[in-house]
Amino acid sequence: MTDLRAAVAAGALGSEESYRELLQAIVECARAIFGAKASSIFLHDEETDELVFEAVAGEGAGDLLGVRFPSSRGVAGWVLVTRQPLVIEELEQDPRFAREVAESTGYVPKGLMAVPLLHDENTLGVLEVLDRPQQAAFSLAEMELLGLFANEAAIALDLLQGARNARAALEEEGSEATALARLSERLAQAEPEKREAAERLIKAIDELLS
Amino acid sequence: MDESLPAWSMPAEAAKKISIGDWPEQVTRDWAWGGATGKGVRVCILDSGIEAGHPLVGELEGAVAVARDEEDVAVAEDAEGDLCGHGTACAGIVRSLAPGCSIYSVRVLGAGFKGSGPVLLGGLRWAVEQGFDVVNMSLSTTKRQFAELLHELADTAYFRRTVLVASAHNMPVESYPWRFSSVISVGSHEDPDPQTFFYNPNPPVEFFGRGVGVEIAWLGGGTIRSSGNSFATPHIAGICALILSKHPELTPFQLKNVLYLTANNVGGGR
């Protein structure tokens, strides 16, 4: 029941959506700051050993969310496994490789930057920024900047996974537990008048049971 | 790994036997690797495999793949080459600096993320057992459960005269093995000269090698432009191979000293 209480306290059902929005805000921001065509965040699904699109900004946004590919493929795959950031330019010169990269980007970019999302001792996923302006030569300062975004994205991914685990714990506890959690979520989102009425009701139930 | 017990003390008459001669008053790059090609030095690329016969890589001394089996990990001949291009890129950089060295591929990447920790450990253990002179590790792990074993292996390598050259992280995370003092850890600088490298007086990263806008070997015999500490590391590994081919007697401790003394911000260029 500890998990359940924690989940209810955190409003697990509602927080998942907020963390997704946070991830989306991070890729939008990364894309804007680098002046890039697209940016995406992949989550590593440990159970299936796949990378999953969790957030996409720019090119491919809308079509790619939830798309999966094996963690052994593409630039994202090797950034995940080596835990090393990587920048590649002139990708389109190699059609074989370009196809493989397209699988992890939705289109064939001219160049990309990819960085692992590391939180504590876990490798949670990968952040990619595709097609910065061609005239701008890559510099280590950009890598530092990308590292800052990666740090933010890793924290958001960690929170998202925590919320998902809490929801899974709730679902395991059975429908009554889920109903309780949903009640807590609805209470938090309710109009002030309704919330006050609901709170009075809950107080009455509490008195009845105590 | 079983270690034979070394002598822990030095009798008085041994002083002459262990005297080290032939060190110049000033260690210069010319003394360190002038005229050297890397000949006689065995470099192991612990990575995703290597595309043998790539124009920038040439022939390999050998190639093995490390994979998980039921109990532990198994090492077998590798006929698949490179699964993603990363290892070929690293091998090409080592070859460009030390054209005469021999290169061996130990594939520990490419089979996905799961189990990559034990496979990395198994591959490194095998490489240390083979007695390679230099092992290039453009990769790391953040899992603390592997840190202790990796640390032991890194120290074993150090005392067996196998130099581990490992990519550092440019993010504030704990990862291994580059954090260990028995390895040579490498970050990137932006200078385009492949032999330019710097000693970092603010460790844990000890050296900076060329890592920005590097023309690297790519799958299918081609090349591509890329940046990252992954590619700074084989630059330092290649320079280590050059130094060891001219001075094969150097221990990893001495080699690190030579690197320090010939770094561009110390005595390099003289």
Side-chain angles (χ1 to χ4, degrees):
Chain A
M1 288 300 277
T2 319
D3 278 346
L4 172 63
R5 279 196 295 272
V8 172
L13 297 177
S15 58
E16 194 177 319
E17 191 47 40
S18 304
Y19 297 140
R20 285 187 70 105
E21 283 169 13
L22 179 56
L23 284 177
Q24 186 63 31
I26 292 169
V27 288
E28 301 281 358
C29 188
R31 183 172 94 96
I33 290 210
F34 286 106
K37 264 197 192 157
S39 176
S40 19
I41 287 173
F42 308 94
L43 169 79
H44 179 240
D45 181 337
E46 281 186 37
E47 254 176 54
T48 59
D49 206 3
E50 288 172 318
L51 283 163
V52 190
F53 279 93
E54 278 295 342
V56 184
E59 201 98 24
D63 307 330
L64 292 169
L65 280 185
V67 170
R68 297 167 164 266
F69 58 96
S71 71
S72 55
R73 295 240 195 102
V75 172
W78 40 290
V79 164
L80 183 84
V81 184
T82 60
R83 281 88 160 168
Q84 288 290 336
L86 196 77
V87 177
I88 297 184
E89 294 162 76
E90 303 155 28
L91 267 178
E92 76 281 21
Q93 285 185 1
D94 181 348
R96 270 193 324 170
F97 184 63
R99 266 203 308 278
E100 201 172 275
V101 171
E103 189 175 8
S104 67
T105 58
Y107 78 110
V108 180
K110 292 190 174 68
L112 65 82
M113 305 194 286
V115 60
L117 301 178
L118 308 169
H119 188 257
D120 200 11
E121 62 171 321
N122 298 317
T123 308
L124 301 173
V126 175
L127 167 69
E128 281 187 353
V129 173
L130 314 173
D131 284 339
R132 297 155 47 252
Q134 283 295 290
Q135 63 276 19
F138 169 75
S139 72
L140 289 176
E142 286 177 290
M143 188 61 100
E144 298 268 324
L145 188 56
L146 191 63
L148 294 177
F149 277 112
N151 200 22
E152 213 176 340
I155 294 168
L157 261 190
D158 187 56
L159 289 169
L160 178 66
Q161 276 191 317
R164 281 181 182 162
N165 291 344
R167 188 187 58 181
L170 280 176
E171 279 166 3
E172 263 180 36
E173 291 277 348
S175 57
E176 286 164 22
T178 315
L180 259 180
R182 188 164 298 127
L183 192 64
S184 141
E185 183 203 1
R186 291 208 168 130
L187 193 62
Q189 290 170 351
E191 306 273 318
E193 274 179 27
K194 273 192 182 173
R195 186 161 66 217
E196 274 173 33
E199 277 169 356
R200 281 200 299 275
L201 192 57
I202 287 170
K203 209 172 167 196
I205 294 171
D206 189 38
E207 276 169 17
L208 179 74
L209 294 175
S210 60
Chain B
M1 265 174 262
D2 292 331
E3 292 289 329
S4 59
L5 281 178
W8 299 108
S9 56
M10 191 189 87
E13 68 275 14
K16 267 190 189 164
K17 281 189 206 159
I18 63 166
S19 76
I20 294 168
D22 293 339
W23 278 71
E25 274 186 31
Q26 188 177 33
V27 172
T28 61
R29 288 193 172 194
D30 186 51
W31 176 86
W33 71 81
T37 64
K39 194 165 191 293
V41 174
R42 298 173 71 219
V43 179
C44 165
I45 309 287
L46 202 69
D47 214 287
S48 58
I50 299 175
E51 182 177 292
H54 188 291
L56 297 186
V57 176
E59 293 312 311
L60 301 178
E61 183 195 336
V64 293
V66 185
R68 266 196 115 160
D69 64 12
E70 282 179 15
E71 306 236 314
D72 194 11
V73 293
V75 179
E77 289 267 317
D78 182 15
E80 286 190 67
D82 191 346
L83 298 180
C84 74
H86 198 258
T88 302
C90 293
I93 292 168
V94 170
R95 177 68 81 214
S96 70
L97 283 144
C101 76
S102 100
I103 293 181
Y104 207 109
S105 166
V106 176
R107 177 151 61 83
V108 293
L109 300 178
F113 186 81
K114 260 189 189 169
S116 56
V119 167
L120 168 64
L121 269 174
L124 181 60
R125 181 177 293 118
W126 187 85
V128 173
E129 282 168 358
Q130 304 309 304
F132 291 111
D133 300 299
V134 179
V135 178
N136 186 88
M137 299 181 71
S138 290
L139 44 88
S140 60
T141 177
T142 47
K143 289 281 179 198
R144 279 180 212 113
Q145 69 183 105
F146 302 121
E148 196 179 330
L149 283 168
L150 269 174
H151 205 158
E152 268 177 38
L153 273 173
D155 280 356
T156 303
Y158 183 84
F159 292 126
R160 287 188 172 195
R161 296 178 181 239
T162 292
V163 177
L164 306 188
V165 188
S167 291
H169 258 124
N170 50 3
M171 296 181 285
V173 289
E174 286 281 328
S175 61
Y176 320 97
W178 71 273
R179 298 272 313 199
F180 307 140
S181 55
S182 49
V183 312
I184 293 174
S185 57
V186 186
S188 300
H189 66 63
E190 294 179 315
D191 193 284
D193 174 27
Q195 288 201 359
T196 290
F197 66 96
F198 301 92
Y199 170 72
N200 178 18
N202 300 304
V205 183
E206 287 188 305
F207 292 95
F208 297 114
R210 184 190 179 199
V212 174
V214 186
E215 192 82 12
I216 56 166
W218 203 250
L219 295 183
T223 62
I224 207 162
R225 187 170 294 276
S226 186
S227 303
N229 292 351
S230 284
F231 309 122
T233 305
H235 277 94
I236 299 293
I239 292 166
C240 288
L242 288 177
I243 297 171
L244 287 174
S245 76
K246 197 166 174 188
H247 305 283
E249 73 285 358
L250 296 183
T251 63
F253 171 79
Q254 291 172 314
L255 176 68
K256 214 187 244 193
N257 273 281
V258 172
L259 279 179
Y260 165 70
L261 291 168
T262 54
N264 282 65
N265 56 335
V266 185
R270 281 202 290 257

